[in-house]
Amino acid sequence: MTAMCDVAFLLLTFFMLTAKMKPQEPVAVDTPSSISETKLPDAGTLTVLVDKDGRVFLDMAGQHTRLALIKDMNTQYPMGLTEEEQLKFTIAGAFGVPRNQLKQWLDLNPTERAQVQVPGMPADSTNNELGPWIHNARLAQFHMKQEGKVSDEYVIVVKADKDTPYPAVQKVINTLIDINVNKFNLITSQEADPNKTEAL
Amino acid sequence: MADMQTADRRSGNQPQRGSPRRLSIRIDLTPMVDLGFLLITFFMLTTILSKPQVMPVAMPDKTPVQEPPVVSPQKVLTLLLGADDKVYWYEDPHQARLDSTSYQAEGLRRVILDKKERVTRLFGQQERPDPRHPGHSKSVSPMVVIIKAMPGARYKNVVDVLDEMHICQIAHYVMLDISEPEKAFVQDPAVGLNFTVAQQMAAAYQRH
């Protein structure tokens, strides 16, 4: 019995340590289902989140890349961010505010951020901030890869709610095509494949 | 759970004076192991199930193509995704008859499979390299599906249609922006459509 107990707790420790914390998302997104069985790759992901009201949020993995990104963005589009605010950005998770409100948003503490109503990132063809963010994030990740700090470039992922009006998603897709991201992934939940169930 | 045994139980209830009392403690580990395995199961399942599924999508490049491919109008099926989970479809735009159906298996899937069968009967199968097995080719239907979502459509509708492409094994499909004539056509099917498949393909390759 002791041996069995040992094994059980050894495995338990292993699974607990390998388990990743689910990243906090600013909005609840109920994804549509599809028969696709491809799993999200383990490589760094850049997620564009579109909620039910069509608000756009952006999240990317990797604190080093995020720091490089916010430095680039702050130089290209001066937002007046201090060193401290830039560090806050690296651990802020998903964000969905226009550039001119980013400073204000970063000054809030994480609990306040979760409560405050944000407008989402502008992604229209006239006022598009999503494109520069993604483009610079991919560049930053590319440089990180060349320096050997990360192993892969970003996998672009679009996660939208099933009730999102399509024009909101279309704006995101058009933005991606504009910055030459023609291949991306849509996050879906699992659904039975009728071809396979018939075969059974 | 845990019981204590005195070493000298056999020799009656009178322990010998002077000799140290030897106790052996036996603990029942079953509930602890149960709990251990329960937690293992929990962590295993959450690790496996937390990984989301993705549907890979490839969109046409924005670079304009000088000579868009020539497609026979008989091969084309256009799906217009409308509001309230309705999907409208027509075949050759020149003699377009608008029809609507639902996303149910007996609705949209039947429309696609029916068209696929007719196209395959007319044009035969097409050989093309199989991306899953390099070096091999597979035969696919030469049918082309054009997917256009109208402003009233939900994101779920789009994913459902893309899913249907996988289920019906449609090799050629493209997602395009809806045009004004088509919007008017859905409003009033009597208007008809006044463009050809060639013009539609040309528009497809100059989307921006």
Side-chain angles (χ1 to χ4, degrees):
Chain A
M1 189 51 98
T2 324
M4 191 168 169
C5 190
D6 286 352
V7 173
F9 276 90
L10 178 79
L11 286 174
L12 178 60
T13 323
F14 170 75
F15 279 107
M16 274 173 75
L17 291 179
T18 50
K20 254 189 277 178
M21 279 287 278
K22 198 167 168 248
Q24 185 83 40
E25 281 178 352
V27 277
V29 169
D30 185 9
T31 54
S33 54
S34 88
I35 59 153
S36 173
E37 282 170 0
T38 322
K39 291 273 181 189
L40 185 66
D42 274 328
T45 51
L46 189 151
T47 313
V48 184
L49 212 69
V50 190
D51 82 342
K52 229 182 280 196
D53 310 319
R55 289 183 300 165
V56 179
F57 297 81
L58 187 64
D59 192 10
M60 65 284 274
Q63 292 190 11
H64 290 295
T65 317
R66 287 183 77 119
L67 188 62
L69 165 68
I70 194 70
K71 286 210 161 90
D72 287 349
M73 289 298 283
N74 203 23
T75 331
Q76 276 185 39
Y77 308 92
M79 290 178 273
L81 298 182
T82 60
E83 284 287 315
E84 193 196 350
E85 282 161 347
Q86 294 182 5
L87 282 174
K88 271 187 190 169
F89 175 80
T90 62
I91 50 166
F95 60 103
V97 286
R99 277 197 299 268
N100 54 15
Q101 290 177 29
L102 187 66
K103 185 180 168 72
Q104 206 186 344
W105 183 78
L106 285 172
D107 288 339
L108 301 172
N109 67 41
T111 14
E112 286 169 334
R113 272 184 219 152
Q115 285 159 359
V116 77
Q117 187 78 13
V118 289
M121 192 176 289
D124 301 304
S125 49
T126 45
N127 175 23
N128 194 324
E129 294 185 5
L130 181 66
W133 275 112
I134 299 178
H135 182 70
N136 282 310
R138 291 182 76 217
L139 269 181
Q141 181 82 347
F142 179 72
H143 291 312
M144 288 289 153
K145 192 187 167 191
Q146 285 193 323
E147 289 168 28
K149 284 183 186 160
V150 292
S151 53
D152 293 289
E153 284 176 43
Y154 275 138
V155 175
I156 312 287
V157 170
V158 176
K159 185 174 185 182
D161 195 280
K162 60 183 177 190
D163 289 327
T164 309
Y166 183 66
V169 184
Q170 195 174 26
K171 278 194 298 190
V172 171
I173 293 178
N174 285 342
T175 308
L176 290 174
I177 295 173
D178 272 340
I179 55 168
N180 291 321
V181 180
N182 292 329
K183 284 185 182 173
F184 45 86
N185 298 284
L186 306 177
I187 291 199
T188 53
S189 49
Q190 183 78 62
E191 180 184 288
D193 185 343
N195 290 343
K196 286 183 186 159
T197 32
E198 276 164 24
L200 283 175
Chain B
M1 285 273 146
D3 52 348
M4 217 179 277
Q5 284 183 336
T6 44
D8 44 11
R9 189 180 279 169
R10 204 182 289 172
S11 63
N13 286 333
Q14 301 284 336
Q16 282 185 320
R17 268 169 202 281
S19 72
R21 288 204 310 173
R22 302 211 339 257
L23 301 172
S24 78
I25 300 170
R26 188 168 271 254
I27 299 171
D28 186 7
L29 287 178
T30 323
M32 190 169 165
V33 175
D34 284 353
L35 182 73
F37 276 103
L38 180 78
L39 288 172
I40 288 178
T41 326
F42 171 74
F43 276 101
M44 270 174 78
L45 289 180
T46 47
T47 345
I48 295 162
L49 294 182
S50 69
K51 211 174 231 191
Q53 263 91 27
V54 293
M55 178 193 266
V57 181
M59 295 295 281
D61 197 78
K62 64 177 175 182
T63 328
V65 174
Q66 295 307 317
E67 287 174 15
V70 182
V71 177
S72 160
Q74 284 162 302
K75 288 182 189 169
V76 181
L77 174 71
T78 307
L79 303 174
L80 307 172
L81 319 184
D84 304 322
D85 292 341
K86 265 201 173 141
V87 49
Y88 302 90
W89 56 277
Y90 65 85
E91 297 183 8
D92 184 356
H94 247 340
Q95 29 193 292
R97 275 190 311 108
L98 191 75
D99 230 326
S100 74
T101 182
S102 68
Y103 291 95
Q104 306 297 320
E106 64 271 22
L108 181 59
R109 194 170 306 156
R110 185 170 292 172
V111 171
I112 298 172
L113 289 176
D114 174 56
K115 172 79 179 170
K116 188 180 168 188
E117 201 189 309
R118 275 183 288 139
V119 170
T120 317
R121 211 184 300 139
L122 264 176
F123 297 91
Q125 299 268 20
Q126 224 178 24
E127 292 290 318
R128 72 171 214 175
D130 189 348
R132 284 196 188 160
H133 306 98
H136 292 73
S137 66
K138 63 173 180 182
S139 48
V140 294
S141 170
M143 173 180 176
V144 178
V145 180
I146 299 175
I147 303 161
K148 296 184 174 184
M150 297 204 289
R154 292 192 296 158
Y155 174 63
K156 182 181 192 296
N157 302 150
V158 177
V159 172
D160 278 350
V161 167
L162 291 178
D163 228 17
E164 217 58 53
M165 297 297 115
H166 291 291
I167 294 171
C168 300
Q169 294 166 352
I170 304 297
H172 313 287
Y173 59 90
V174 64
M175 274 172 70
L176 298 176
D177 298 343
I178 191 152
S179 61
E180 287 303 325
E182 281 168 318
K183 278 186 198 166
F185 185 48
V186 170
Q187 290 289 323
D188 179 14
V191 177
L193 288 171
N194 54 354
F195 55 80
T196 61
V197 165
Q199 282 166 336
Q200 197 173 19
M201 291 313 277
Y205 282 88
Q206 289 159 8
R207 44 178 299 142
H208 285 289

